[in-house]
Amino acid sequence: MHSTNLLLEEPIRMASILEPSKATFFPAMTKIVGTLGPKSRSVEIISSCLKAGMSVARFDFSWGDAEYHQETLENLKAAIKNSKKLCAVMLDTGGPELQVVNKSENPISLEAESLVVLTPDQDKEATSNLLPINFSGLSKSVKNGDTIFIGQYLFTGSETTSVWLEVTEVKGEDVFCLIKNSATLAGPLYTLHVSKIRIDLPTLTDKDKKVISSWAVRNKIDILSLSYTRHAEDVRHAREFLSKLGDLNQTQIYAKIENVEGMANFDEILGEADGIILSRGNLGIDLPPEKVFLFQKAAVHKCNMAGKPAVVTRVVDSMTDNLRPTRAEATDVANAVLDGTDAILLGAETLRGLYPVETISTVGKICAEAEKVYNQDVYFKRTVKHVGEPMTHLESIASSAVRAAIKVKASVIICFTSSGRAARLIAKYRPPMPVLSVVIPRLKTNQLRWTFSGAFQARQSLIVRGLFPILADPRHPAESTNGTNESVLKVALDHGKTAGVIKPHDRVVVFQKVGDSSVVKIIELED
């Protein structure tokens, strides 16, 4: 079979597949979000995760208390200092998540074809025949024949750690279910998901608000992952809540799409959110397996055209317990990159997985290989066509910067920005080279004190494909009246040289505001 017939983004030489992957300063253009937990919370392990390619640390508040997560965050800060690698902080809300409560924490064995009762009476002890849950309205929400999944993070119904049930009878507040597969549930909490059933609970719960008002405010989180987003109103409500909490008015909100209701309202949610997380674990329960890939492709495409980051979850589940992913998982990661995904989110793989560092490294390598064959030309034309005419001034210049960088084969694009918007617009056109986003802080006052903005904007770009931020000296303005800002440019070039992405005689494209205008210039470096 000739390589030109391969149905890849562009023709590949078979010989090139056999060449070993080259190590680079930037492991991949696609970003990696790592969930920190029991197996990944020491300074040493977090430092290794950052060096392996993690650029966003996720704190999952569906389990663990604020004190536990605070200790982990302090370790993250130490690791950032040690490794000299920037990292953003993402808080993932618990949301209206239903859980089985096992106070004794003893393992519970469930046998296929036997009956189990789900009860809202949390004072009762969890057994093989009775499982207390944290929601009193389940009996009113389900009917005979409905499907319920219970497990710890993984939900295929085939592993020994999760189980799927069929509702056979509802008596008062108790729900009787037939167990469909044998499993052993271990630990204090298991997630419960009812397929295609709306649970009448608020998206931002009182517990979430308490965590945000204390832990998130104290730590000035960069990104809020809004679990179980079902309507655009959910995002508006969360943004209104954040706007009253000091610095959190700069926090970005990523809507986590986890069920059919969120899918049905996807376009409106995308319009309100700063980014989207496709939670394929729960989506894989609400949707037939053969439909999940269709939603992923459609959703990622919509995010790409809107210039908003798309994050995909549940890619290398098997690496929770194994050192290597399956062939299907490796292919899945690559296809997510070719679809246009900005970031891969690792959950159980790094939270409680045995090989958090190796998982991040492996996913980064797969992403880097997929990026080599990403058909940027087709994507660029499609994006320009979607934006249409007339373009806004900034969009026109951003797309022109990417086009120029491709034409002159620039090694990097350097973008000076204050809000981060210009850099995100450049990233929207998916340049094949890294974008060094030089964030120039702005001086602001609330009449009581002066503060610098910029740190949020720099860290928030760590989830955007291809963007690599540098926080500049606030004494240098983002807008230069004389068209040059040699000292800041020199810092950016030196950073690129240190990183190994800029070499002598390379061409570099610079995007900069000069007064009311935006300018794109091409620099050819000397020795």
Side-chain angles (χ1 to χ4, degrees), residues 10 96 109 173 219 226-227 235 263 315 352:
E10 64 178 51
S109 295
E173 290 190 325
N219 297 297
L226 189 61
S227 295
V235 182
M263 281 180 53
V315 290
R352 61 183 178 86

Side-chain angles (χ1 to χ4, degrees), residues 440-481:
I440 316 284
R442 281 181 177 161
L443 191 60
K444 300 190 305 181
T445 180
N446 61 1
Q447 307 304 318
L448 295 174
R449 66 189 180 103
W450 289 89
T451 55
F452 283 111
S453 70
F456 273 94
Q457 289 76 8
R459 290 192 301 266
Q460 285 163 349
S461 64
L462 289 165
I463 202 169
V464 182
R465 181 161 158 177
L467 280 194
F468 299 91
I470 308 166
L471 193 58
D473 189 321
R475 289 170 294 184
H476 298 287
E479 297 178 18
S480 178
T481 51

Side-chain angles (χ1 to χ4, degrees), residues 76-262:
L76 171 65
K77 290 174 184 176
I80 290 170
K81 212 171 185 178
N82 292 350
S83 63
K84 294 182 172 61
K85 299 277 186 184
L86 276 177
C87 187
V89 173
M90 173 188 284
L91 186 158
D92 202 321
T93 63
E97 185 171 83
L98 307 190
Q99 294 176 330
V100 174
V101 182
N102 177 19
K103 289 182 179 177
S104 70
E105 298 192 22
N106 294 326
I108 300 167
S109 295
L110 301 172
E111 292 296 325
E113 302 305 315
S114 56
L115 288 176
V116 66
V117 180
L118 304 181
T119 177
D121 187 349
Q122 295 183 46
D123 291 330
K124 291 186 176 177
E125 188 175 329
T127 66
S128 298
N129 311 111
L130 185 77
L131 297 176
I133 61 173
N134 66 346
F135 179 53
S136 60
L138 185 65
S139 59
K140 296 171 186 168
S141 303
V142 298
K143 61 184 184 306
N144 289 5
D146 281 346
T147 301
I148 297 175
F149 287 79
I150 296 174
Q152 192 176 38
Y153 307 108
L154 303 180
F155 282 119
T156 67
S158 64
E159 325 102 338
T160 56
T161 57
S162 69
V163 66
W164 60 285
L165 314 171
E166 183 182 311
V167 177
T168 57
E169 188 181 2
V170 176
K171 281 186 183 176
E173 290 190 325
D174 293 345
V175 178
F176 290 72
C177 301
L178 177 69
I179 301 169
K180 304 294 281 186
N181 68 295
S182 296
T184 299
L185 304 178
L189 288 173
Y190 327 109
T191 304
L192 181 150
H193 186 92
V194 188
S195 184
K196 295 183 182 176
I197 298 295
R198 188 185 197 287
I199 301 302
D200 192 20
L201 288 169
T203 301
L204 197 64
T205 64
D206 289 340
K207 181 184 174 186
D208 293 331
K209 288 179 178 178
K210 187 178 177 183
V211 166
I212 293 168
S213 300
S214 53
W215 194 89
V217 170
R218 175 183 173 185
N219 297 297
K220 300 180 182 178
I221 62 158
D222 304 299
I223 298 166
L224 180 77
S225 167
L226 189 61
S227 295
Y228 296 95
T229 303
R230 295 168 286 189
H231 299 275
E233 185 56 39
D234 294 338
V235 182
R236 285 192 287 268
H237 176 241
R239 202 177 299 283
E240 183 185 355
F241 183 71
L242 291 179
S243 69
K244 299 169 184 172
L245 297 173
D247 287 328
L248 292 197
N249 62 4
Q250 298 180 76
T251 297
Q252 290 188 339
I253 298 174
Y254 278 52
K256 206 171 173 192
I257 308 299
E258 312 201 40
N259 53 32
V260 169
E261 197 172 359

Side-chain angles (χ1 to χ4, degrees), residues 331-472:
T331 304
D332 183 35
V333 174
N335 279 325
V337 173
L338 296 179
D339 285 346
T341 299
D342 283 81
I344 301 293
L345 190 153
L346 301 172
E349 304 98 320
T350 55
L351 175 82
R352 61 183 178 86
L354 302 179
Y355 309 101
V357 179
E358 291 84 354
T359 301
I360 291 167
S361 177
T362 300
V363 168
K365 287 175 185 174
I366 298 167
C367 290
E369 288 297 324
E371 288 159 11
K372 291 176 186 175
V373 294
Y374 182 72
N375 197 328
Q376 200 279 336
D377 187 51
V378 168
Y379 177 86
F380 187 92
K381 289 173 182 173
R382 189 172 61 186
T383 309
V384 169
K385 184 179 178 183
H386 180 269
V387 172
E389 295 177 355
M391 278 185 172
T392 63
H393 173 81
L394 197 57
E395 184 116 32
S396 173
I397 300 295
S399 60
S400 298
V402 176
R403 190 193 299 271
I406 293 167
K407 293 290 184 188
V408 303
K409 290 185 165 49
S411 54
V412 296
I413 298 172
I414 295 175
C415 174
F416 292 88
T417 180
S418 290
S419 66
R421 185 163 167 255
R424 287 195 302 274
L425 271 179
I426 290 173
K428 174 181 174 179
Y429 287 88
R430 292 286 188 263
M433 67 288 296
V435 180
L436 298 184
S437 171
V438 184
V439 181
I440 316 284
R442 281 181 177 161
L443 191 60
K444 300 190 305 181
T445 180
N446 61 1
Q447 307 304 318
L448 295 174
R449 66 189 180 103
W450 289 89
T451 55
F452 283 111
S453 70
F456 273 94
Q457 289 76 8
R459 290 192 301 266
Q460 285 163 349
S461 64
L462 289 165
I463 202 169
V464 182
R465 181 161 158 177
L467 280 194
F468 299 91
I470 308 166
L471 193 58

Side-chain angles (χ1 to χ4, degrees), residues 286-306:
D286 262 20
L287 286 174
E290 68 273 18
K291 298 286 189 182
V292 176
F293 87 96
L294 285 172
F295 175 64
Q296 175 178 314
K297 287 181 178 293
V300 170
H301 173 72
K302 286 174 182 285
C303 289
N304 288 170
M305 294 303 103

